[in-house]
Amino acid sequence: MATASNRSCLQYLLHLAHDNLDFRLPEILSLICLRGKTFQPGENFRQNSPFWCLGGLTEEDICGVMARSVCAKSAFELWGHGKTHGDLRTSLLSYPPERMLPFMQKGSTYRINVYTFNKTLAFADRIKRIDALEYLPFEGTVSLKNPQHVFCLLEDYGSDPNNIPEHPDYIYFGRWIADGQRELIRSHSVKNRHFIGNTSMDAGLSLIMSNHAKVKKNDFVFDPFVGTGSLLIACSQFGAYVCGADIDYNTIHGKGRSSRKNQKWRGPDENIRANLRQYGTENLYLDVMVSDASKSVWRMAAVFDAIITDPPYGIRESTRRTGSHKDNFKTPDGTFVESHVPVSQAYHLSDIFTDLLNFSAHHLVLGGRLVYWLPIYRPEYSEEMIPLHPCLQLISNCEQTLSSHTSRRLITMEKIKEPELISYSEPDVKYNPSNMSGLWGVAPPSFPQGDLQDVDGLIHLAEPWSRPYQGHNAFREKYFSGINKKGGRQENKPDVNGGFT
């Protein structure tokens, strides 16, 4: 058999699913980074192609990536490739025999599959493709049901379904190594989940977010807008300990009206813990709590390996936080009785993202990642609208188009430094919050004497380039405006997309 050294650093072929195209490269990059390797694409790499040739990896690395990826279908050790079957033959015959023969020797069993992209071949044509590979020195026995080795011929007919060429644009042949985790999308479907809500995140996107965040075994992951816990389920699937918070008491405790058809009220065991129990990861569930994301209850320490969340956008879930526009809303002694229900007020999107980035800068470990969704009104979008923070580096920005004029972007950021803190009891403080009036969507926050504040966060808010994303406050009105992209006219019926929250 081939030794480990002989099987290292070969060229490998990934066959990717042709959906969520914008999310595929960041996912593969993150998973390769988890292996401590770099992304080394082959010549003529095209991001939107369903086939990627990669180098600089071992078979163990490929298996590690495929054990996590939901964007990749299969991975192969690439033995040959070319624009025509003649080129493929030349490439295969030049492949080192010592790397082929261990999988072709007498006494072994094998099968050859034919995959095509953007074209369906008749069964007879598939057989002809296989018969044309007779120049390969197979000495084993064919076994269609349970072969020891599987080989694949893959033909790429481009991506235009309206202009399918007679002959493939490119052809690959290789030994199958592993399949991706596409099955998790079906097994974790929201349709089959015990506890769901109006805005439960799609299973596939939840798993992609976990991979973008580089979530791994024994990580500590937090979702500050946890909802029904879809993101916690995905992270626990990869071995992370999970916890979350949400301002909605009924959602956290599984009470109130059900989101299911023909069911008026939620059952006694409809909660986030029951969801993790359904998928066998209850042991990784720490807890969830009712909490206001604008008022952190966590001690000032970097404890989370990843923060993954889908904030509310004001479409299907309101954006609220505790507080009042009145000057005094506490009882005379400054306390609340046990049955007190806090007054709530609007929580502008610009404030949500400011708080989220500042919270992440303080509570992520160095190298930890923040992954969240940002709603976008497409006609006005520009890269400058992405919220930034001096302690967080932008890693990727992927778009999911939802309508002609709206979309949401999956933002991934990584913590690169600790925030600098100052105390407002110091006499030589250089940053005066009162001078920053107008940079917040509401009145500037108050900083009691002696409080530690984030200098980096204040500098970020004071910079002119931080102002464009204040426009997210008007996103809800723009979403329901019903503007027709082609005619520029108003429509009476809003185009509500279930992907928004």
Side-chain angles (χ1 to χ4, degrees):
M1 295 295 290
T3 64
S5 60
N6 287 337
R7 307 232 59 80
S8 65
C9 297
L10 304 175
Q11 194 168 26
Y12 295 94
L13 179 71
L14 296 188
H15 179 201
L16 296 111
H18 207 62
D19 56 18
N20 296 317
L21 300 188
D22 226 17
F23 302 83
R24 301 186 310 183
L25 182 58
E27 187 202 53
I28 299 301
L29 285 171
S30 297
L31 296 180
I32 290 177
C33 184
L34 275 177
R35 303 290 305 177
K37 299 296 180 65
T38 58
F39 183 74
Q40 299 180 25
E43 295 181 8
N44 303 318
F45 171 77
R46 292 183 295 116
Q47 184 173 338
N48 288 337
S49 170
F51 301 107
W52 292 357
C53 296
L54 303 180
L57 302 172
T58 66
E59 187 167 321
E60 184 180 2
D61 293 328
I62 292 295
C63 289
V65 169
M66 300 307 289
R68 294 281 305 263
S69 177
V70 292
C71 290
K73 288 185 173 182
S74 303
F76 308 88
E77 178 190 333
L78 187 60
W79 284 10
H81 56 94
K83 291 186 176 181
T84 66
H85 283 277
D87 293 340
L88 175 66
R89 175 176 179 145
T90 301
S91 179
L92 283 172
L93 293 178
S94 64
Y95 195 72
E98 64 272 14
R99 293 178 178 172
M100 282 187 176
L101 294 179
F103 306 99
M104 296 178 158
Q105 60 190 358
K106 193 173 183 178
S108 65
T109 58
Y110 72 95
R111 182 181 74 224
I112 299 177
N113 294 331
V114 177
Y115 292 147
T116 57
F117 178 75
N118 198 34
K119 187 173 185 177
T120 301
L121 291 181
F123 179 76
D125 292 329
R126 293 174 182 268
I127 297 300
K128 288 179 181 178
R129 300 285 201 280
I130 295 174
D131 291 341
L133 297 170
E134 60 182 0
Y135 53 86
L136 291 176
F138 287 106
E139 296 185 3
T141 304
V142 173
S143 174
L144 299 181
K145 291 186 177 181
N146 189 27
Q148 291 175 302
H149 310 297
V150 177
F151 303 92
C152 295
L153 178 72
L154 304 102
E155 297 184 345
D156 183 2
Y157 287 86
S159 57
D160 185 359
N162 298 317
N163 186 25
I164 302 175
E166 182 179 355
H167 302 288
D169 294 339
Y170 215 83
I171 311 166
Y172 307 88
F173 183 86
R175 177 180 64 89
W176 173 85
I177 296 176
D179 287 332
Q181 302 304 306
R182 302 283 295 174
E183 171 61 22
L184 290 177
I185 298 176
R186 185 201 62 79
S187 64
H188 286 62
S189 172
V190 175
K191 296 179 181 179
N192 305 320
R193 195 166 296 170
H194 187 71
F195 174 47
I196 61 171
N198 293 334
T199 58
S200 294
M201 179 63 67
D202 170 78
L205 292 176
S206 299
L207 294 162
I208 288 174
M209 291 176 71
S210 300
N211 284 333
H212 281 209
K214 299 198 300 185
V215 171
K216 59 186 182 301
K217 186 176 181 179
N218 295 328
D219 274 357
F220 186 18
V221 179
F222 177 63
D223 181 354
F225 302 94
V226 69
T228 56
S230 293
L231 299 178
L232 302 191
I233 293 171
C235 293
S236 67
Q237 177 66 36
F238 299 128
Y241 291 93
V242 295
C243 65
D246 203 288
I247 197 172
D248 190 331
Y249 177 94
N250 286 338
T251 299
I252 287 291
H253 292 279
K255 299 181 181 295
R257 289 187 174 275
S258 173
S259 297
R260 299 184 188 279
K261 186 178 181 180
N262 301 325
Q263 181 179 333
K264 187 173 183 180
W265 303 103
R266 288 176 174 145
D269 193 33
E270 287 192 48
N271 51 56
I272 297 174
R273 180 187 291 273
N275 276 348
L276 273 77
R277 185 185 307 124
Q278 177 182 354
Y279 298 109
T281 56
E282 185 181 4
N283 61 310
L284 299 172
Y285 174 79
L286 299 178
D287 209 346
V288 292
M289 59 182 174
V290 180
S291 177
D292 182 354
S294 69
K295 299 176 175 62
S296 176
V297 298
W298 296 87
R299 61 184 173 87
M300 193 65 72
V303 294
F304 301 121
D305 297 289
I307 296 174
I308 307 179
T309 193
D310 180 28
Y313 318 143
I315 305 301
R316 302 184 72 183
E317 293 290 343
S318 61
T319 54
R320 309 294 295 175
R321 63 178 172 184
T322 57
S324 172
H325 295 293
K326 299 179 181 179
D327 293 335
N328 298 310
F329 57 94
K330 289 185 179 180
T331 54
D333 61 356
T335 61
F336 296 116
V337 297
E338 185 176 351
S339 60
H340 170 74
V341 178
V343 177
S344 65
Q345 64 184 83
Y347 193 10
H348 296 301
L349 282 176
S350 54
D351 296 326
I352 289 177
F353 297 123
T354 297
D355 292 342
L356 178 61
L357 266 63
N358 283 334
F359 179 87
S360 301
H362 284 93
H363 297 287
L364 279 174
V365 300
L366 277 176
R369 288 193 169 185
L370 164 67
V371 180
Y372 69 96
W373 289 99
L374 179 73
I376 291 298
Y377 182 64
R378 300 183 73 198
E380 298 178 359
Y381 171 74
S382 67
E383 293 290 338
E384 289 73 22
M385 296 179 67
I386 304 300
L388 301 175
H389 192 286
C391 299
L392 303 172
Q393 179 182 8
L394 181 64
I395 300 298
S396 63
N397 173 5
C398 310
E399 183 181 26
Q400 181 193 24
T401 302
L402 296 174
S403 72
S404 62
H405 60 283
T406 58
S407 67
R408 59 180 179 179
R409 305 190 78 92
L410 184 62
I411 308 299
T412 301
M413 311 183 87
E414 186 170 301
K415 183 174 177 179
I416 57 175
K417 72 171 186 175
E418 296 291 349
E420 297 179 24
L421 300 177
I422 59 173
S423 172
Y424 277 90
S425 63
E426 299 176 9
D428 58 344
V429 173
K430 297 181 180 179
Y431 301 100
N432 183 358
S434 63
N435 293 336
M436 297 184 185
S437 178
L439 294 184
W440 283 269
V442 293
S446 60
F447 300 112
Q449 290 294 318
D451 271 12
L452 290 175
Q453 301 301 330
D454 177 6
V455 177
D456 288 318
L458 295 177
I459 295 174
H460 160 65
L461 287 172
E463 294 290 346
W465 49 259
S466 74
R467 301 181 186 182
Y469 72 87
Q470 302 292 330
H472 288 309
N473 289 344
F475 174 76
R476 188 176 189 277
E477 288 74 15
K478 293 172 182 175
Y479 179 79
F480 284 116
S481 66
I483 294 179
N484 184 290
K485 185 176 181 181
K486 294 182 179 180
R489 59 183 177 84
Q490 294 287 333
E491 295 178 353
N492 294 326
K493 186 176 180 180
D495 179 21
V496 180
N497 191 296
F500 276 99
T501 58

